Amino acid sequence: MLPFFTQDHSALQEQVRLWVENNLFAGCDSEDDIEQRARSVVQELGAAGFLKRAVPRQFGGVREQVEARDLCILREELARGDALADTMFALQALGSYPITLAGSSAQKQNYLPRVANGAAIAAFAITEPEAGSDVASLQTTAVRQGEQFILNGTKRFISNAGIANFYVVFASTSPEKKAKGVSAFIVDANTPGFAVKEKTKLISPHPIGVLEFTDCRLPEAALLVVEGDGLKIALKTLDLLRCSVGAAAVGFAQRALQEAIRYSKARKQFGRAIAEFQGIEFKLAEMATELEAARLLVYQAAWTHDSGNADAKQKSSMAKFYATEAAQRIVDQALQMHGGNGLIAGSIMERLYRDVRGLRIYEGTSEIQKLVIARSLLKATGNK
């Protein structure tokens, strides 16, 4: 048991691990309808009770507050089995946590219980064609007209585009205030003026696309908290989820290491298993060490967040940066051990190679994490 775990965390880990091995461990990378698979996965996660970890107890959850350690445990184990399962769990947490943080009682009661049981699919819509890492520069606007807001703009790379029942959308209500003028709204999928403009195909199965808002009228009740607090809500949400991206990376890397060990013991060259060659042994040792370091960083960050420590943001950035970069190296080395067999379309190694790549980009690129870490260090020493 990791030092950052309680008995409950260990029990959750065992429960999820068993469920994954019974339901997902064979993996699935067919060209079937990704959207239908995604909907089915959400229903399955809801039926298994795992989505309850994404909302507070008062609204159908397990704990009084959502815990980063729970999210990390679930993401690590789900990623080990199937990337889409990990993605859909993460998006339920990402799309609903702004409501947990800042929603009114009516908003929470309307949306969170349905997220907890898998009846509603959530989405988080902040990225735009010209606003990626620089989220404060978003161009989508929400203009107040009496007791309504008129939403106009385009969102890009929005996960669950077209399958979500509701979207938490970030828009500028006071462009002159820049970051302090961003607000957050809940937009139901059937709202007039809202449309999914296109679906985007990624190298790893993922429901994602472009959203368009054209004179989309929202009631004042769709606003989260007050005008101008949107960016704070977004950043607090990302602070919770960031270390869980590292946990998903650990899950992918763990599966890659398992596959590398299995293959190296079975594959024979020059009259013996390749696992008996020192070059392979060294690779396995390096992979296992990097994996363990990544796992410890991830759960230290999650524990730090759950404990309310002041350095949680820095720890989460360290965890995401190191774990995602290390996972890329581990998967690459595992594929190298498989040789040509690792390049076969549909093989587990080919799938892992595609699945792991996006983690170094979304929810803050590796470069952004380095900036967060460095600025935290400089601020602590009084130089910035």
Side-chain angles (χ1 to χ4, degrees):
M1 185 172 75
L2 286 174
F4 309 108
F5 282 9
T6 64
Q7 289 293 337
D8 182 66
H9 293 122
S10 296
L12 173 63
Q13 184 181 53
E14 185 60 32
Q15 178 192 4
V16 185
R17 183 170 295 168
L18 182 62
W19 186 87
V20 167
E21 291 180 354
N22 288 336
N23 293 274
L24 299 176
F25 201 68
C28 181
D29 195 32
S30 70
E31 290 301 318
D32 295 340
D33 185 350
I34 297 301
E35 293 187 356
Q36 184 54 48
R37 281 182 54 210
R39 291 188 182 97
S40 296
V41 166
V42 170
Q43 292 171 358
E44 291 167 14
L45 292 172
F50 298 144
L51 293 178
K52 292 181 179 182
R53 300 282 174 165
V55 302
R57 178 181 296 148
Q58 184 180 355
F59 302 99
V62 175
R63 303 187 191 278
E64 289 300 320
Q65 295 181 327
V66 179
E67 276 201 0
R69 280 171 292 180
D70 286 349
L71 303 186
C72 287
I73 289 167
L74 277 151
R75 292 201 65 182
E76 178 184 347
E77 296 302 328
L78 291 171
R80 198 169 60 90
D82 179 41
L84 188 61
D86 163 62
T87 295
M88 297 315 297
F89 173 80
L91 293 176
Q92 288 294 88
L94 182 67
S96 66
Y97 195 63
I99 301 173
T100 296
L101 277 175
S104 65
S105 294
Q107 288 169 335
K108 291 177 180 179
Q109 194 59 58
N110 185 22
Y111 295 100
L112 296 183
R114 293 188 290 142
V115 169
N117 63 24
I121 296 178
F124 182 92
I126 193 167
T127 304
E128 298 184 359
E130 302 302 325
S133 296
D134 182 13
V135 295
S137 66
L138 54 84
Q139 300 299 305
T140 297
T141 59
V143 178
R144 180 184 281 277
Q145 286 190 4
E147 296 182 353
Q148 290 186 323
F149 287 90
I150 313 301
L151 192 62
N152 282 283
T154 300
K155 296 292 183 180
R156 188 185 185 203
F157 291 128
I158 305 305
S159 297
N160 285 347
I163 68 170
N165 298 98
F166 67 91
Y167 301 77
V168 174
V169 179
F170 297 85
S172 178
T173 46
S174 300
E176 72 281 0
K177 294 182 180 179
K178 298 184 179 180
K180 294 182 179 180
V182 175
S183 301
F185 300 86
I186 306 173
V187 180
D188 290 321
N190 60 359
T191 304
F194 164 72
V196 178
K197 186 176 180 181
E198 67 179 59
K199 305 291 180 66
T200 307
K201 188 174 182 179
L202 301 184
I203 61 175
S204 177
H206 191 124
I208 196 166
V210 177
L211 311 181
E212 193 168 81
F213 303 93
T214 306
D215 294 331
C216 181
R217 292 183 175 272
L218 303 176
E220 193 170 32
L223 178 69
L224 281 176
V225 193
V226 296
E227 290 182 53
D229 274 359
L231 199 56
K232 291 180 184 177
I233 296 168
L235 293 177
K236 285 183 179 179
T237 299
L238 294 174
D239 283 345
L240 170 70
L241 271 294
R242 187 172 295 116
C243 59
S244 81
V245 182
V250 168
F252 289 135
Q254 179 67 57
R255 181 66 182 276
L257 178 60
Q258 287 175 247
E259 294 296 331
I261 293 170
R262 180 194 60 77
Y263 185 83
S264 66
K265 292 170 72 174
R267 174 67 167 168
K268 290 184 170 55
Q269 290 287 278
F270 306 102
R272 54 179 172 158
I274 64 172
E276 297 177 25
F277 291 98
Q278 190 180 70
I280 296 296
E281 291 176 329
F282 281 6
K283 284 182 184 294
L284 291 172
E286 291 164 2
M287 293 159 67
T289 302
E290 281 205 281
L291 175 59
E292 193 65 15
R295 180 178 282 115
L296 288 169
L297 273 174
V298 164
Y299 287 104
Q300 174 190 245
W303 173 82
T304 302
H305 182 281
D306 293 340
S307 302
N309 291 0
D311 60 348
K313 188 181 186 72
Q314 183 202 64
K315 298 298 186 188
S316 288
S317 286
M318 286 178 171
K320 182 186 186 296
F321 165 58
Y322 183 82
T324 57
E325 294 286 342
Q328 184 80 52
R329 293 189 294 269
I330 292 167
V331 171
D332 184 71
Q333 288 287 11
L335 189 149
Q336 187 73 13
M337 287 186 205
H338 282 72
N341 290 322
L343 299 175
I344 297 173
S347 70
I348 179 63
M349 286 314 310
E350 184 263 352
R351 180 167 65 86
L352 286 168
Y353 197 77
R354 290 186 287 107
D355 291 341
V356 77
R357 187 58 183 87
L359 302 186
R360 293 164 59 200
I361 296 173
Y362 71 71
E363 291 188 37
T365 64
S366 292
E367 291 74 19
I368 290 295
Q369 304 314 319
K370 290 179 186 179
L371 286 176
V372 172
I373 297 164
R375 289 173 181 175
S376 176
L377 293 171
L378 292 169
K379 183 178 180 180
T381 57
N383 292 330
K384 194 167 184 175

